[in-house]
Amino acid sequence: MSPEMPKAYEPADIEPKWYAFWVEQGVFRASDDPADRRPVYCIPMPPPNVTGALHMGHALTATLEDVLTRWHRMRGYNTLWTPGIDHAGISTQVVVEWQLRREGKSRHDVGREKFIERVWQWKGESGGRIALQQRELGASPDWARSKFTMDPSMARAVNEAFVRLYDEKLIYRATRLINWCVDCQTVLSDLEVENEEGANGELFEFAYKIAGSDEEIVVATTRPETMLGDTAVAVHPDDPRYQHLHGKMLLHPFVDRQFPIITDAILVDPKFGTGAVKVTPAHDFNDFATGKRHGLQEITIFDLSGAMNENAGHFRGLDRKEARKKVKRELEERGLTRGTKPHLLTLPKCSRSGTIVEPMISPQWYVNMKPLAEPALAAVADGRTRIIPEEWAKTYNHFLENIQDWCISRQLWWGHQIPAWYCSDGHVTVARQAPAVCATCHASELRQDQDVLDTWFSSGLWPFATLGWPDATPALARFYPASDLETGYDIIFFWVARMMMMGLHFMKDVPFRRVLLHGMVVDENGEKMSKVKGNVIDPLDLIHGASFDDIIQKTLPGAPREEALAKFKKSYPSAAQMGTGFPAFGADALRFTLASYSPQAKRIALAPKRIEGYRHFCNKIWNATRMVLLYLEQHPAPLPTGQTPSPRWRSSRWIMSRLANALEQTERGLTDFRLDDASAALYRFFWDELCSWYLEITKPVLQAEKSELGTEVAATLVHVLETSLRALHPFVPFLTEELWQILPRPASRPASIALAPYPMPGEGRADEVADREMAIVFDAIIAARTIRSEHEVHPAAQVPLVLRAADPKIRALLAEELVTIRTLVKTAGDPVIEASGGDRPPASVMSVAGEVEVLVGLRGLVERATEEARVDREIKKVEKDLAVLQKKLASPTFVEKAPSEVVAQAREQLQGLERTRKRLAEARQLAAELD
RNA sequence: AGGCGCGUAGCUCAGUGGUAGAGCACUACCUUGACACGGUAGGGGUCGGAGGUUCGAAACCUCUCGCGCCUACCA
């Protein structure tokens, strides 16, 4: 076994085989069997978009959820992590439309039916890709239960939900002002509109002439072209400037229309602009409301593509932008312009296409949200569902308290078609299946509503629709409500709140007990990852390794190489130190990294160096196991029984105690969704306590002849290591499975570590006495090492050591730990243990560690002679480097022109060298003193 | 405009009243029989600023400066 283990851990050699093994063993399967009495843990996976390739956000989600899933599974829960794919209405339609465009066709050329066939075909080809990528991360959902939001079973749930809400009058159809994307050719919900701030616009002022008079009224607008749809000008009722004009009629300069000056205290702020507001009810939300208050005519002036329509007179056919220019020009020609002022404005943009959204009057389907929101608010308020981190509860509440009705219809082809049918008289029949006749007039000529539902309508049903709802399936009975719902905070409104409302409404219970929210993965500088910035990192490139050239080819195809590379390295300064690319970090290192970020953080700044650090940790685990296996060959221990051992040796009692401590912290972290704390506790335990102390302490025992102590130590080591691997498994599943399989383990263990019991703190053994005593020993060791290091003693050199303590108990303790002290300090002979108060031996340096005085003798070292010459050499070298650096930093060109991090680094080096010079000078002085 | 949050080591961030922490970076020494993807030791902080509460404040309160995000509005 161990001799064949390679010296370095290579993830690529082990990851694929264990994933196949888990699948073959059915490790990920959940059970519906009523006879299965295990407690249940269920976590619905946020279904990634069918269009998507795996990005960092998915990797984060998959990691966090997999840790929770694997942890519960090992704790004996009947664990269901439900995977799936979202049909992602607009995104997917856009992708396939692009494909058609390359063939020179539009979706209208092929027709609705053929187009949908094309989408399905495309879905079949690339829709499974992301699930394959999730496997590379080690994700362990129950794949057999994977659902696609367009599956027939999901369609049935969607229709059922729609019909019930319609029957309850919670879904209705209304004609209102809506957000129209002229590019996507569909209505958008409020949430799909992104308000982009800070655009430089202008406030344009022009005059309307008053009919039958020379007087005029000047209005200010950011959208001059909408004046073609004006049906009033409003002033504040109390504004003294306009008192005489109330009710007067105005002449439209371009179309044959007169409209009134009205007074409205809600719309008009007399201090803004001219205090007179043009009112365009058909293309502005405030004006629409004003129009309703005053019964104004609503004149739509755009067609669905954003061009001016027949109501725009001779401007007809012009695009919005062109129309604006032309309107301004013609107003100028007629002498009606009254100047412009710069004005900062916020532009409402389609979150998909980035096009400026046009408010339009249109009939659409809506969900009445208030009655649904109230129970969802109550469920969080009374703790039936807990939101973690808690601060997000405020955001959730704020949204639900101010919720507007949800526009759920979309003018797309790809999606769940609305289950409503119209007869030629316009009567509506809403039904689960296509009805034969109109419910009102029994006409048999029916046409289904052409619109589809917002993608989030089906997503909102996810926690119960995936389990077979509306049927009362065993799965539904068992796995609803889910235990946890874990996702990014960016979809609290889109998804979490809607699942809460839908779940409470249809299932009469919350959809999940906890909502766990994580932040957004951003680049190392905190910038959002985007193709334009060239800072997108594909998680698979971190797992398998990739050259920076390949990465920039993917993110910035066609861009000049140098430029793209510079952009990339600027986004990831720590990657710039890695040469020409990322090595293969492996899935485990990436997972451990992602789990190590605090869930509180809104931004998770991905630092490649950090992944490298955890890659090193994986290698550490690998080599620690290798060492234990190596020594076991010389020092066979009995096969572990699974019982927690009770070693008698103090060091072993100590490591058992630290194990208990680490397991307790890990358990707390995992329970509280503080995976950062959990992973840190395991990291510290494994590296600092197990490897740095215990493995070093046990070396002399294990390297010696077979002994009773040796057997006890070997048994302790096997237990601690096997337990550590189980504790680490949810974070680093591949590595731990590989090592666990070759490590001696109790016969009672199952075939895979993934099914082995998760260690309880009781698999360690808390021991305050051992903790306290070893701390004294370690402090003395550290003090002695510090003296050695500060006096430049060669690491291999052996020094005389005297330890003094007033307390006889401490002296007894130190005497018992002579071997350990001797090994870790590298003393010449056994350390001398004495009572405090004697003279300081000549040529020795003393330090105080708690109640122990530590005296290290420095005379008589063979190396001393050469040592002094070396110190002198070092001093010369440092002086030289210092001079170079000082000169460099004194040069203004360097300080100004070199990248700031290079200058900062030079300064740090300078400081370091100065400190070294000081220490070397002290060392030389001491050497002189000693001789 | 309202809401939420942030400001702690060079960088990224933990830390909810009790001796300022981690990873990376930095300095020195060391290929020591698991691991140089390593070891040992070290340097670095007026916890954004001011005031207050307290025996004691990075943490609690008030004010203030700087920076994010979200929601709404903007003729």
Side-chain angles (χ1 to χ4, degrees):
Chain A
M1 36 166 128
S2 54
E4 292 98 68
M5 269 181 84
K7 198 169 160 184
Y9 159 61
E10 282 304 330
D13 296 343
I14 61 166
E15 289 181 358
K17 74 173 172 193
W18 291 118
Y19 202 90
F21 174 74
W22 295 325
V23 170
E24 182 192 312
Q25 295 284 320
V27 165
F28 307 157
R29 279 205 293 265
S31 165
D32 291 346
D33 183 355
D36 190 324
R37 307 299 274 271
R38 291 177 295 167
V40 168
Y41 181 75
C42 175
I43 174 163
M45 182 193 290
N49 287 358
V50 64
T51 46
L54 194 79
H55 58 60
M56 270 301 160
H58 295 125
L60 178 66
T61 304
T63 298
L64 301 178
E65 293 175 18
D66 195 49
V67 170
L68 293 171
T69 299
R70 285 181 182 268
W71 176 52
H72 279 94
R73 189 180 291 126
M74 290 177 79
R75 291 206 300 164
Y77 282 70
N78 182 5
T79 301
L80 173 60
W81 184 19
T82 330
I85 303 283
D86 194 282
H87 68 279
I90 299 185
S91 310
T92 311
Q93 177 157 327
V94 166
V95 168
V96 177
E97 276 186 292
W98 260 103
Q99 283 190 344
L100 283 174
R101 204 166 306 171
R102 252 173 271 144
E103 297 165 21
K105 289 185 264 184
S106 81
R107 68 179 155 115
H108 299 283
D109 294 334
V110 297
R112 182 165 188 149
E113 205 172 313
K114 283 266 180 275
F115 179 80
I116 291 174
E117 260 175 46
R118 270 295 282 259
V119 182
W120 275 105
Q121 185 194 337
W122 179 83
K123 188 258 169 191
E125 286 159 13
S126 50
R129 192 175 38 161
I130 201 155
L132 293 174
Q133 295 172 324
Q134 288 169 331
R135 286 168 168 84
E136 300 205 43
L137 277 163
S140 67
D142 189 349
W143 291 112
R145 295 177 196 247
S146 188
K147 289 282 188 301
F148 180 48
T149 52
M150 286 291 282
D151 283 346
S153 64
M154 291 293 291
R156 187 163 155 250
V158 165
N159 281 358
E160 180 71 26
F162 188 98
V163 171
R164 285 201 204 172
L165 289 172
Y166 179 81
D167 289 345
E168 295 165 74
K169 309 267 186 274
L170 289 170
I171 281 184
Y172 62 93
R173 196 166 155 81
T175 298
R176 295 190 181 153
L177 202 62
I178 49 95
N179 306 296
W180 182 261
C181 175
V182 297
D183 202 45
C184 304
Q185 289 283 303
T186 180
V187 64
L188 304 170
S189 72
D190 296 343
L191 289 177
E192 288 163 303
V193 178
E194 282 172 359
N195 293 303
E196 199 173 296
E197 273 176 59
N200 282 320
E202 59 172 23
L203 203 53
F204 176 82
E205 293 181 1
F206 69 92
Y208 276 123
K209 293 288 181 196
I210 287 160
S213 148
D214 288 340
E215 273 193 286
E216 63 178 35
I217 189 162
V218 178
V219 295
T221 179
T222 54
R223 295 199 61 192
E225 74 280 13
T226 61
M227 61 86 71
L228 293 163
D230 283 357
T231 53
V233 165
V235 297
H236 196 277
D238 304 332
D239 191 331
R241 291 172 292 181
Y242 302 119
Q243 292 292 330
H244 61 296
L245 297 179
H246 295 179
K248 291 269 165 51
M249 294 304 282
L250 296 167
L251 290 170
H252 198 287
F254 304 130
V255 292
D256 182 19
R257 185 161 80 232
Q258 293 198 5
F259 49 88
I261 294 176
I262 58 170
T263 62
D264 194 288
I266 298 172
L267 180 70
V268 184
D269 170 5
K271 290 188 286 296
F272 191 91
T274 61
V277 186
K278 61 189 272 313
V279 182
T280 321
H283 296 289
D284 180 280
F285 285 92
N286 286 314
D287 294 2
F288 182 76
T290 308
K292 290 291 180 205
R293 285 197 293 276
H294 297 270
L296 299 177
Q297 202 187 349
E298 294 157 357
I299 300 175
T300 297
I301 57 167
F302 299 108
D303 66 20
L304 295 181
S305 68
M308 310 308 290
N309 69 9
E310 65 280 2
N311 292 327
H314 66 280
F315 295 91
R316 180 178 183 172
L318 291 177
D319 170 76
R320 286 183 291 180
K321 270 190 185 158
E322 296 162 0
R324 179 175 302 177
K325 277 186 207 151
K326 191 158 185 209
V327 164
K328 282 166 73 175
R329 198 165 57 235
E330 293 196 11
L331 283 169
E332 178 75 49
E333 283 162 15
R334 290 172 194 231
L336 293 170
T337 53
R338 295 292 178 268
T340 62
K341 293 187 181 97
H343 180 66
L344 263 161
L345 41 89
T346 310
L347 293 173
K349 291 187 170 176
C350 169
S351 59
R352 183 57 46 190
S353 65
T355 311
I356 297 174
V357 163
E358 188 60 57
M360 297 274 236
I361 292 174
S362 166
Q364 302 289 344
W365 291 93
Y366 291 86
V367 180
N368 177 5
M369 298 306 274
K370 278 260 169 341
L372 296 169
E374 276 162 27
L377 276 165
V380 168
D382 66 22
R384 272 174 291 152
T385 294
R386 281 177 59 212
I387 295 179
I388 298 170
E390 265 176 80
E391 65 219 46
W392 289 113
K394 288 175 190 163
T395 307
Y396 171 89
N397 290 340
H398 184 260
F399 172 68
L400 287 179
E401 281 159 8
N402 299 288
I403 199 161
Q404 303 292 311
D405 282 359
W406 176 17
C407 176
I408 49 170
S409 41
R410 294 290 180 277
Q411 287 66 51
L412 303 172
W413 286 353
W414 176 239
H416 294 284
Q417 200 169 346
I418 290 177
W421 284 262
Y422 306 94
C423 68
S424 53
D425 290 344
H427 303 136
V428 183
T429 307
V430 168
R432 287 167 180 81
Q433 273 114 33
V437 295
C438 172
T440 311
C441 68
H442 304 289
S444 59
E445 288 285 302
L446 296 176
R447 184 166 187 269
Q448 187 172 4
D449 195 307
Q450 292 300 291
D451 290 353
V452 301
L453 288 163
D454 182 0
T455 298
W456 296 102
F457 189 87
S458 51
S459 317
L461 313 175
W462 190 244
F464 48 96
T466 50
L467 298 172
W469 187 86
D471 294 335
T473 61
L476 189 62
R478 171 149 302 194
F479 296 110
Y480 192 96
S483 317
D484 289 335
L485 185 281
E486 198 283 336
T487 192
Y489 70 79
D490 55 327
I491 52 176
I492 294 177
F493 304 152
F494 279 110
W495 196 42
V496 178
R498 284 163 180 171
M499 281 190 289
M500 285 293 288
M501 293 187 273
M502 294 295 198
L504 282 160
H505 187 75
F506 290 112
M507 296 295 296
K508 307 294 170 222
D509 194 0
V510 292
F512 22 75
R513 302 286 179 215
R514 300 196 303 177
V515 175
L516 312 174
L517 296 163
H518 63 246
M520 301 293 110
V521 183
V522 296
D523 76 13
E524 209 168 340
N525 298 322
E527 299 281 330
K528 211 171 160 181
M529 286 195 194
S530 78
K531 288 215 157 189
V532 215
K533 288 187 199 138
N535 61 352
V536 177
I537 290 187
D538 180 344
L540 296 180
D541 286 343
L542 294 169
I543 294 175
H544 303 302
S547 75
F548 295 147
D549 276 340
D550 288 348
I551 292 172
I552 58 174
Q553 288 263 305
K554 267 198 285 185
T555 41
L556 290 169
R561 181 175 172 273
E562 293 304 321
E563 197 182 300
L565 203 59
K567 264 189 176 182
F568 182 79
K569 290 193 171 176
K570 201 178 164 196
S571 301
Y572 298 97
S574 82
Q577 304 167 30
M578 288 181 182
T580 57
F582 293 130
F585 293 119
D588 286 332
L590 177 60
R591 289 169 61 110
F592 205 91
T593 307
L594 292 171
S596 73
Y597 285 95
S598 165
Q600 252 83 331
K602 284 192 180 177
R603 288 154 170 269
I604 294 175
L606 187 80
K609 266 285 171 194
R610 189 157 169 165
I611 308 173
E612 188 180 74
Y614 289 120
R615 164 78 217 266
H616 294 174
F617 179 53
C618 291
N619 190 56
K620 192 77 178 174
I621 299 171
W622 178 269
N623 275 294
T625 308
R626 205 162 71 92
M627 173 187 156
V628 170
L629 290 171
L630 207 70
Y631 282 122
L632 279 179
E633 292 196 340
Q634 313 163 9
H635 233 100
L639 201 65
T641 58
Q643 300 291 310
T644 304
S646 336
R648 290 194 315 223
W649 195 39
R650 185 177 290 112
S651 299
S652 295
R653 279 164 46 214
W654 174 79
I655 196 65
M656 288 296 290
S657 180
R658 301 323 298 157
L659 175 64
N661 174 65
L663 292 174
E664 198 191 304
Q665 286 185 37
T666 304
E667 183 175 85
R668 194 163 46 233
L670 287 166
T671 304
D672 298 343
F673 192 53
R674 286 303 302 259
L675 307 191
D676 55 330
D677 288 345
S679 59
L682 290 169
Y683 181 95
R684 278 195 299 269
F685 168 73
F686 200 94
W687 200 309
D688 299 343
E689 297 175 329
L690 181 57
C691 292
S692 296
W693 287 109
Y694 191 66
L695 287 185
E696 294 303 325
I697 292 171
T698 55
K699 274 179 185 174
V701 178
L702 294 171
Q703 281 165 1
E705 290 298 297
K706 212 176 154 190
S707 65
E708 204 179 313
L709 177 59
T711 308
E712 186 191 278
V713 165
T716 307
L717 263 180
V718 169
H719 171 82
V720 171
L721 192 56
E722 196 262 351
T723 306
S724 303
L725 291 179
R726 282 184 286 125
L728 284 160
H729 179 260
F731 298 94
V732 284
F734 296 106
L735 173 64
T736 48
E737 181 79 275
E738 169 79 13
L739 297 175
W740 191 77
Q741 294 286 344
I742 51 180
L743 199 71
R745 55 190 185 281
S748 58
R749 294 281 187 259
S752 166
I753 190 174
L755 298 173
Y758 196 78
M760 308 285 284
E763 292 185 49
R765 210 172 270 284
D767 189 329
E768 277 179 41
V769 175
D771 283 348
R772 201 168 53 238
E773 291 177 342
M774 289 312 285
I776 294 168
V777 175
F778 291 164
D779 282 349
I781 291 170
I782 288 168
R785 283 168 163 178
T786 303
I787 294 169
R788 289 184 58 125
S789 178
E790 284 186 346
H791 294 90
E792 303 288 329
V793 175
H794 191 281
Q798 299 187 328
V799 291
L801 177 66
V802 179
L803 298 175
R804 292 175 174 169
D807 185 343
K809 280 189 204 141
I810 292 181
R811 291 203 297 275
L813 165 71
L814 295 169
E816 280 174 27
E817 296 299 334
L818 276 189
V819 175
T820 291
I821 295 166
R822 189 181 160 160
T823 312
L824 299 190
V825 179
K826 288 224 170 66
T827 62
D830 276 340
V832 177
I833 313 293
E834 306 177 343
S836 305
D839 291 337
R840 196 177 92 177
S844 70
V845 177
M846 190 184 88
S847 166
V848 178
E851 293 181 55
V852 182
E853 291 168 18
V854 179
L855 296 99
V856 178
L858 296 176
R859 170 170 288 179
L861 291 173
V862 193
E863 288 85 355
R864 281 314 295 174
T866 52
E867 200 62 8
E868 279 173 49
R870 195 188 55 71
V871 169
D872 285 337
R873 259 200 327 275
E874 277 296 322
I875 289 178
K876 268 186 201 149
K877 192 181 141 218
V878 168
E879 297 280 2
K880 201 178 120 198
D881 292 352
L882 258 178
V884 171
L885 259 180
Q886 274 166 344
K887 201 175 148 196
K888 206 170 168 188
L889 281 167
S891 137
T893 32
F894 173 75
V895 175
E896 281 161 29
K897 300 253 171 84
S900 58
E901 62 266 23
V902 174
V903 177
Q905 207 165 352
R907 289 215 169 96
E908 256 177 73
Q909 273 172 11
L910 182 72
Q911 280 174 20
L913 284 169
E914 275 166 353
R915 284 192 301 269
T916 308
R917 178 171 63 177
K918 202 174 141 201
R919 197 160 57 225
L920 286 169
E922 283 168 12
R924 186 162 58 181
Q925 203 184 331
L926 184 86
E929 211 177 278
L930 292 174
D931 290 324

